[in-house]
Amino acid sequence: MTLARLTSPGAAVPATLAPAPTFDLEGVLASIDTMAAQKPVAAQIVSVANSDDTSAAALAQILAADVALASRVMKLANSAYFGMRGRVTSLQFAVTVVGFTTVRTMATVAVTDLDDESRLPADFWRTSTSVALAASTLAPRFGERPQDALCLGLLAPLGVALLHHNDQEGYAELSAAEPTATGRRAAEVRRYGIHAYRLTAVALEQWGFARSMVAPLAAVDDLSDGDAGLLRAALELAARLTVADHQAVPMERLTRGLLREDAVPPVMDRVRAEAEELRLAMLGQ
């Protein structure tokens, strides 16, 4: 598959925006590889964490070489989310508690500079942690593992960060002009030839993440795709909590009837209670 250029020839550009810069997907992904070279421990974790030959002891040994990242993993393991307040005292135990996929997700955050809020759109992490906690809480209803859903939610907005970094002023204007998530994704396709969640899917696929992480991102707008229902529900819940004047979309419609509106309030309560602590753990604050 050729990834060199995904900007659609002749694609319509909103009149309020300046012409988009040439969006070279291959170049964007290569720039992440360049960043990875500056964070070799995190890059190594992204590479080896899903290997069948990697043990918790081996992963903890690699992780120990990056004090900041190791501290974040320890903090997350002792957070309210895992219910282990103060009981995780070793890095190997922390790796076991949070799971390999979560450690790999945290390393991906470090590699892609998502831990630097100065380079991100406003409220990026507030939205990301809300999506992650909503997805994790709802996961059993969709037959998914909560920790895998947490990681999907945390990494889903990676494409938003990449588009923002590539076209900061233009992407800010695009976001302001499109108050709805569906409208924003359509505008992203017009401007860049790809929407942010599809961009995340391409990146995660290139790095060898499981199909269960990749497929929902690519199919998020296909209401007939049941595999993306959990992600759509989590995105909707996060929008209700973080977007002013958000026009709610019925959960039954987004999830093909798997989730009813009466199940939403307790999920929103949990997200409100735990999102900030998760953000601080992910950012090492």
Side-chain angles (χ1 to χ4, degrees):
M1 180 173 65
T2 301
L3 300 177
R5 184 172 178 178
L6 291 182
T7 303
S8 303
V13 176
T16 56
L17 298 180
T22 299
F23 189 73
D24 182 347
L25 178 57
E26 191 172 74
V28 170
L29 298 178
S31 72
I32 297 175
D33 291 338
T34 301
M35 287 188 286
Q38 300 170 0
K39 299 180 179 180
V41 174
Q44 185 180 4
I45 290 171
V46 172
S47 176
V48 308
N50 69 333
S51 170
D52 293 337
D53 299 329
T54 303
S55 65
L59 195 56
Q61 185 175 8
I62 298 170
L63 184 58
D66 187 324
V67 175
L69 184 55
S71 175
R72 292 175 197 175
V73 172
M74 289 289 292
K75 187 168 185 177
L76 181 61
N78 280 295
S79 70
Y81 178 79
F82 289 99
M84 299 289 289
R85 291 275 191 205
R87 287 182 282 170
V88 180
T89 57
S90 75
L91 195 51
Q92 183 174 334
F93 187 26
V95 169
T96 302
V97 168
V98 305
F100 285 19
T101 301
T102 305
V103 174
R104 193 180 191 208
T105 294
M106 297 181 78
T108 302
V109 166
V111 164
T112 54
D113 279 347
L114 296 185
D115 52 357
D116 181 357
E117 290 187 289
S118 68
R119 296 167 58 89
L120 301 172
D123 285 339
F124 178 92
W125 272 107
R126 182 180 175 219
T127 300
S128 177
T129 52
S130 295
V131 174
L133 284 169
S136 174
T137 305
L138 292 170
R141 294 175 177 267
F142 292 81
E144 303 291 345
R145 295 176 67 245
Q147 289 184 25
D148 291 344
L150 181 82
C151 294
L152 172 62
L154 288 170
L155 290 179
L158 170 61
V160 172
L162 294 176
L163 292 176
H164 176 267
H165 181 65
N166 188 69
D167 180 28
Q168 188 167 342
E169 291 185 7
Y171 192 76
E173 291 179 22
L174 180 153
S175 298
E178 293 291 347
T180 69
T182 302
R184 187 175 303 117
R185 287 194 289 274
E188 288 165 353
V189 172
R190 289 194 301 269
R191 185 165 173 80
Y192 307 109
I194 190 171
H195 66 67
Y197 294 126
R198 175 59 184 152
L199 178 54
T200 301
V202 171
L204 296 187
E205 185 175 31
Q206 174 169 301
W207 299 330
F209 276 81
R211 176 170 172 75
S212 59
M213 291 275 285
V214 174
L217 293 159
V220 67
D221 288 321
D222 181 0
L223 294 180
S224 68
D225 190 304
D227 291 340
L230 173 58
L231 178 60
R232 285 193 293 269
L235 290 168
E236 171 64 19
L237 284 175
R240 293 183 187 186
L241 287 167
T242 63
V243 178
D245 301 322
H246 173 68
Q247 298 295 314
V249 180
M251 283 295 173
E252 291 87 348
R253 179 184 172 210
L254 295 173
T255 65
R256 301 175 70 190
L258 284 176
L259 185 67
R260 295 169 55 89
E261 284 293 334
D262 57 10
V264 168
V267 180
M268 295 182 73
D269 288 343
R270 185 187 185 190
V271 174
R272 289 190 190 97
E274 297 182 16
E276 178 62 8
E277 184 180 10
L278 179 59
R279 184 187 75 83
L280 294 176
M282 294 298 299
L283 296 176
Q285 297 178 4

